[in-house]
């Protein structure tokens, strides 16, 4: 059964589904996604549906979290995805986000990332969340810092040097006291 998530005035987070393949195909092939996140090798709708099934959808079952769709409330369109990823290369889950070009510059990434951290530290009771970013992605570095994440240093991951940021669960926050909007 799909998890329910807190919402903002503008959007809701929800689990990605295989029928979100057209959205995933567009996002995964966006030039900024390719430059800052990487090429996932997804070139058609079938590959996009497979990516969703084997990536985010499998993560929900395996970890209780994953990348979530950022669904706009006014028309149901998908602006991007944001959430938590469990990587073998990192000791803690990491925060990730990506938005289609027409939705950038509106504060959605920060809002969705903040909501994802609230889920991480509230209902999921994670003690720590990391984030990885390419050195040249200044906008994402600023966003992570605005969320209270602190630079942990550079780290070689998958043959590339990335910056690792981290944030611990706020003192006094227990799973029952996690906020929901």
């Amino acid at each position: 059964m799909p998890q329910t998530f807190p919402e903002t005035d503008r959007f809701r987070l929800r689990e990605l589904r295989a029928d979100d393949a057209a959205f995933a195909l567009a996002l995964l092939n966006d030039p900024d996604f390719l430059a800052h996140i990487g090429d996932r090798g997804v070139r058609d709708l079938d590959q996009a549906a497979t990516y969703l099934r084997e990536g985010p959808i499998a993560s929900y079952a395996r970890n209780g979290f994953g990348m979530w769709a950022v669904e706009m409330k006014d028309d149901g369109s998908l602006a991007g995805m944001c959430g938590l990823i469990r990587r073998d290369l990192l000791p803690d889950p990491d925060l990730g986000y990506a938005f289609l070009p027409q939705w950038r510059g509106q504060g959605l990434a920060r809002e969705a990332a903040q909501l994802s951290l609230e889920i991480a530290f509230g209902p999921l009771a994670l003690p720590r969340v990391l984030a990885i970013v390419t050195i040249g992605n200044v906008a994402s570095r600023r966003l992570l810092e605005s969320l209270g994440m602190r630079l942990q240093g550079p780290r070689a991951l998958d043959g590339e040097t990335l910056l690792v940021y981290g944030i611990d669960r706020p003192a006094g926050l227990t799973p029952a006291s996690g906020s929901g909007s």
Side-chain angles (χ1 to χ4, degrees), residues 41-157:
V42 172
R43 300 293 180 261
D44 62 38
L45 287 174
D46 287 339
Q47 290 174 338
T50 299
Y51 166 85
L52 291 169
R53 275 193 308 276
E54 294 177 0
I57 296 168
S59 181
Y60 307 143
R62 186 174 51 249
N63 301 310
F65 56 79
M67 292 297 285
W68 300 302
V70 177
E71 183 180 71
M72 301 308 292
K73 285 182 167 180
D74 60 352
D75 65 2
S77 62
L78 299 186
M81 60 181 172
C82 185
L84 304 166
I85 305 164
R86 168 59 77 189
R87 297 179 204 270
D88 292 338
L89 303 168
L90 294 172
D92 297 293
D94 73 287
L95 174 69
Y97 47 85
F99 285 79
L100 291 168
Q102 65 268 32
W103 295 102
R104 294 182 195 139
Q106 301 176 39
L108 292 171
R110 186 182 192 299
E111 235 178 292
Q114 183 63 50
L115 210 53
S116 295
L117 288 175
E118 289 175 16
I119 294 166
F121 295 138
L124 295 175
L126 298 175
R128 182 171 172 80
V129 173
L130 301 175
I132 54 175
V133 62
T134 57
I135 292 169
N137 193 344
V138 177
S140 276
R141 291 171 60 187
R142 272 189 228 139
L143 187 150
L144 296 173
E145 291 166 3
S146 78
L147 294 168
M149 299 189 92
R150 299 289 172 244
L151 181 62
Q152 309 297 296
R155 181 160 177 186
L157 296 168

